[in-house]
Amino acid sequence: MHLYQFGRIKADLATQKNELTQLGFPTKERTLSDLARATFALFEPQAHGDAATREAWANRAVDDDTDLATWLATDRDVIKRDNFYNVALQYLGFQPRVDFDQQHPRTFMKQTGLPYQDADINNQDKFVSAVYLLLNTRTVNVVTLIDALAAKGLLNTLPERFTFFNGKSLPTFDTHQIIREVVWIESDLDTDGDGQRDMLEATIIRPRVTDKGVQVPALFTANPYFHGTNDQDVEAATHVPEPTLQVKAAGTQPAATDADWHPEQDQLPHREVTDTTKTASVFGDEPGIYSLNDYFLARGFATVYSAGVGTRGSDGLRSTGGPDETASAVAIIEWLDGNRRAFTTRTGHTAITAWWCNGNVAMTGKSYLGTLAIAAATSGVPALKTVISEAAISSWYDYYREQGLVVAPGGFQGEDADVLAIDTYSRQQAPGDANRVKAKWESRLKDISQAQDRQHGDYTPFWDVRNYRHNVAQIQCDFVSVHGLNDWNVKPRNVVKLHEALRTVGSSVHHKMFFHQGQHVYLNNIQSLDFADQMNLWLSNKLLGVDNDAVNALPDVEIQDNVEAAKWVTTPDFGHGTGVTNRQFQFGTDEPTAEFKDESTAIFNAEHDTSDSFERQIIQPDSPYSAARLWLPLLQADQDVVIEGTGTLHLRVRSDAPTAIISARLVDIGSAFRLQPTASIVARGNYPLGFDWQYENTLEFAPQKQPNAAQLISFSHANLQNPVDGATAVTVNPGEWVDMQLTLQPTRYHLPAGRQLVLIVHGADMAQTIRPTATPTITVDLKASHLDLPFRNDQD
Amino acid sequence: MHLYQFGRIKADLATQKNELTQLGFPTKERTLSDLARATFALFEPQAHGDAATREAWANRAVDDDTDLATWLATDRDVIKRDNFYNVALQYLGFQPRVDFDQQHPRTFMKQTGLPYQDADINNQDKFVSAVYLLLNTRTVNVVTLIDALAAKGLLNTLPERFTFFNGKSLPTFDTHQIIREVVWIESDLDTDGDGQRDMLEATIIRPRVTDKGVQVPALFTANPYFHGTNDQDVEAATHVPEPTLQVKAAGTQPAATDADWHPEQDQLPHREVTDTTKTASVFGDEPGIYSLNDYFLARGFATVYSAGVGTRGSDGLRSTGGPDETASAVAIIEWLDGNRRAFTTRTGHTAITAWWCNGNVAMTGKSYLGTLAIAAATSGVPALKTVISEAAISSWYDYYREQGLVVAPGGFQGEDADVLAIDTYSRQQAPGDANRVKAKWESRLKDISQAQDRQHGDYTPFWDVRNYRHNVAQIQCDFVSVHGLNDWNVKPRNVVKLHEALRTVGSSVHHKMFFHQGQHVYLNNIQSLDFADQMNLWLSNKLLGVDNDAVNALPDVEIQDNVEAAKWVTTPDFGHGTGVTNRQFQFGTDEPTAEFKDESTAIFNAEHDTSDSFERQIIQPDSPYSAARLWLPLLQADQDVVIEGTGTLHLRVRSDAPTAIISARLVDIGSAFRLQPTASIVARGNYPLGFDWQYENTLEFAPQKQPNAAQLISFSHANLQNPVDGATAVTVNPGEWVDMQLTLQPTRYHLPAGRQLVLIVHGADMAQTIRPTATPTITVDLKASHLDLPFRNDQD
């Protein structure tokens, strides 16, 4: 176990004393022992009164023979560090003998990454500093000790106001008294073409104390799934991977026009306001869906969910990431900032403002939710002060297409823009409402199905207008991105290309990036990292103006190691700058060329494979797909190396057909106990989000229980007719050499000594591309091909 | 999907009207349409005011062209049933087109088991009855419609008092205002031998309105795991399955003596009371662990958790189900009933009564928790009015031993009484406290390890005193048992033998039994059954005196079918009485004997099997264990048959060694899409436990996605030296015939036509018995052996 903590900031003694005093902690008593007694009493907030407190102390061991109650009963001039930390570790949730040796508590603390004072405690100021540090140290249950004590009632006597400790907001807001309400926000859109502005439903979850004049910031999660999904319709609409790869005409796709970005629409009248109110008319009966939002609710941040145009309760139609969905998210933010009107009912005239909001908004959420956060940020809407975007799409072409090919999100073969539009059109779940726009929706859906163009896979204006990276220059707010390095659903390219786009336009925005070893998951309950605490530092700064230097205090890039469990490293940038160098790999020595016949589909069918089993098999040294791939060893690592960044494969290739799918997989070969791609539950429901509030599970990525022989590091897919990108197709004559450039998914991969790095070149990817029945023979000119791969050289 | 509902009772029109009136529903208006409008307004409790209500109606479709708002605007003398149910189904959570056809709503209702009125609604009384029935109909989210509407705020204006509807308590208690407190109850025990009565910590979770004089019943869950488990120590203590089966001396074990049941102990002084209070001194910071308790908390039932002797915060030592653990659970009940003292601190003198409790207690919980409920019930403690015991142990011999053998709980090879004692000794997690009794605990643990006697596996007094069935005659309260028919951890024998013991002593106790298709799991969030609702009917009757005839209203036995998903059947008894007949199966025709060599351990090691893979392999027609078993076909089903009850295998057998393990497995052979043994999530977090309270997932047992060839139905294990039971061992001379009688685990198994019933006789069970390296040759006299198996003949 290792508990990293980047969200703790330095504070001088005066600040420590002020902050402790504010919480009711003593900082000066008659004697050091008096101070210790008064302090440890507050460490047992569940115990009311001296007798109960002493009993609680009696449960803690200072050593094998002495409990804390007995120990505190004796006055002493010096508190030995080991005594202090033997007890401190128990408050942090560790057990003597089981977790640590009471003879050497600091040995365990050092191994685990827990901070401690540098000497025995021989005066009251040193005790105060030790307590301040301890309260800001992480417990075994994700949160810091101050949060754990708050969960037992320590802060219940404080006023229900923002209270900051070590630069972060404390859970002082009463989650038993939450207001849940629904309003309808007037947008500038009329996506269902009824001549009326689309009204957007939003659910607000805010502390009741806002009714008494406390203004709070809002965490806004634009969640198209909030009101349910249409799973049965999705099943019917999911595409069967096509058996034929179409030959396409040469040419370059045009960029999206201004009309694509801003479709012309009639001048829309504003809804007349006949009345105003501070009280909503509809109770929000959907519970929150993201525990990080719930964690912040206890800390005074309201949560706002809106599912957007075309979802249940709202007007309009879905577009799978089109400009109207961006506008739909932005509208909510503008209302929160007082710059847009909203009503208590969808069709009524009683207006309601976000009078409880301080006008500062952050967006949160994963996947489509985080995607809309990127989208909204690229609008530059001023009230959006920051974004925490996780596993998000920055260009929908990078989600459903790749270099001229239809490529499915991992795990969702056959999904496409139209399928997702169907999935999120929850307006259908209000059938009385949906019946009224049935024809319009069917027509819109037909348009999407056609425009997405599964036949050719090109980067058309449909996709160009869904590439939020065009507008990164407009991003005004500092930005947090989280992505799984094993996320083959929303692939890492999305976050790294967003980051590169910011760099390209010379943006002054600070972009903090987290890369974990998971797939398509949240990060906030991973035990080894203090993600929620870091976000607290960040949001306290961005939305509440706390002067905690969050921008400099937090690392720029935090990356979870893929070899050692629970290990995180930091870098100043990702795959770029000092310490990162490119290495060029040549292929083969004896044979000038190598060829394979792409019979993947036939083998797939003969083996009765699934997408999952194909993905496993294609990378095994001994594989049913051996004849349908090239196996190109790159490196036998004689010492640990770290790949970091985006690799580029330069391939001179020919096909005996006018078209082909070319895929590349970078793999780590060698039997090893690698990390599991799914985090395991370390402890169920032990991570408290506030006082008598919700609990989360604590997770960690554990090593596999059985070794495996091969591990995917990265991959890439391309249409032979799109040798460089998805926008430009060329004509390929059978047998003609084509110089291709395939961009691998960016990664950070620690390849330990003794393992082999191998490049696999193959054809169709049964899990992600279509499944052609044609079997072209592909030849690679090995001498004229190479792989550029970035390595980080300045890290253990 | 099928939604069974046994917890709905009949009510006459006057009762319907009274109950509806009490909730604020109208029962008579100027016209039928006025009544419909006034009623449907209450069906949208999230909408406050006419405008919001009309909008909510507009989201419901009466048909493709008419929404509910439009439809209600027109006056009509008759409400067509199809119109009513088209809308009703939407309120129940179903979607037109996706779930049902609005042309024929009742077709879907019939398939799904939803009740409907028998004619169009042509007067107000008929409308009232239709509404009453609908409110008491199950939604897609486990609960009934009245509960679903309460979750949206329908009942928020009612006083915070018990309100019954259709015989069940409604969620009218404010779960935002819960008191969580800890008290220490004085027991009659001194298990840690310090001359002081063991004080038992209990956590109480009660509605705050109890402070205003509302007395409530208590659901008490005796949960040894409540304060954590010692997982690392368990890992170290878990036994390695022994390689040698000891030859034992002939003889019969003595029964437990009175001294075993009631160990002599010094007269213990009572703790002096110097003060009394109504206010506890310690906040209960552990969240509840069973969602059924949380469901009832909203309905006015307090929850009480106590982990018992030897757990964190309590005095004493663990004993794994010994009489002191029974006494420990009973003490809590006696305190709740005012017959035992408790204090606000563990060592203090301020007494506190359960002044908020109406003196009526039910116990709930699964596994060890449910076990202690059985234990407490056998004490006959008067305040215990009923028990809901799930997957519980009725005799610990049936958990850790079987007919003279050490047999592990499924999934926990190597676990034993000592391991579980270590696991639940959470007192250790208060190290300051545990250090004081370290030596006593080590000594107690040594005693358990010795007394459990893994060498011989006999039914010794250690086990006899842990057989709660001895005392079934003392059970005074009606009883609910729930058990998974695939629970190989706590095996079904435990519940069925408890039931048979009740029958044997002529108990007048009503014993309601539920058998589901799961393993070791709770039943309350399975979609197809209204378990929570039935328990509401039951507990409202038992703890609140509601005259709802629950004992007769609920079926005696509810059994989930293993072939058709979401199908439940009822029977008047389990495997007994009218409709159940025994069938005797003879083995073989040509060969008089058959033999196998028990090389299971060697094969297991050679195959690198795990317990799981062994269990899969041993029952396959083509198995690596083929030579180590007999395969005895019993029946090729030409029509569906239903096994129900306990089979007995009469086996004449000889071994070439003086000892051997004899196992039998009854299996269903034939490729089929059987139900998965683990229920799948149908919908995540959609089952509301109250208003703005917790949410549970909805689960259902779904068919497997791939067919499997073989399925375990039941099994049995015995020591050759214990031919009849675990108490009596005989000497076996190598080569000598032994007449054995093996009792299979009771089951209810629907064997469809076309499948084959096979008996497997084999030796050591790698998943459950020890793993001997000796390889005795076992011969079965087929002619002198037979299997008695009960079948139910009066059911589809």
Side-chain angles (χ1 to χ4, degrees), chain A residues 696-716:
Chain A
E696 252 289 2
N697 298 329
T698 300
L699 308 181
E700 192 58 74
F701 293 94
Q704 290 165 347
K705 294 197 195 316
Q706 299 295 328
N708 65 350
Q711 171 78 31
L712 177 68
I713 298 172
S714 177
F715 59 13
S716 178

Side-chain angles (χ1 to χ4, degrees), chain A residues 541-584:
Chain A
N541 176 275
K542 298 294 177 191
L543 304 187
L544 289 161
V546 176
D547 182 18
N548 59 20
D549 199 27
V551 165
N552 296 310
L554 299 184
D556 288 317
V557 186
E558 298 174 37
I559 311 181
Q560 189 186 6
D561 187 58
N562 58 293
V563 173
E564 192 179 325
K567 178 178 175 182
W568 290 79
V569 298
T570 63
T571 71
D573 200 348
F574 182 82
H576 186 262
T578 314
V580 178
T581 50
N582 181 61
R583 185 161 164 190
Q584 193 170 98

Side-chain angles (χ1 to χ4, degrees), chain A residues 95 97-98, chain B residues 230-238 419 422-423 428:
Chain A
Q95 237 184 292
R97 188 183 63 78
V98 176
Chain B
N230 299 311
D231 301 346
Q232 280 183 260
D233 289 335
V234 160
E235 209 174 311
T238 297
V419 179
I422 289 170
D423 197 28
Q428 178 177 289

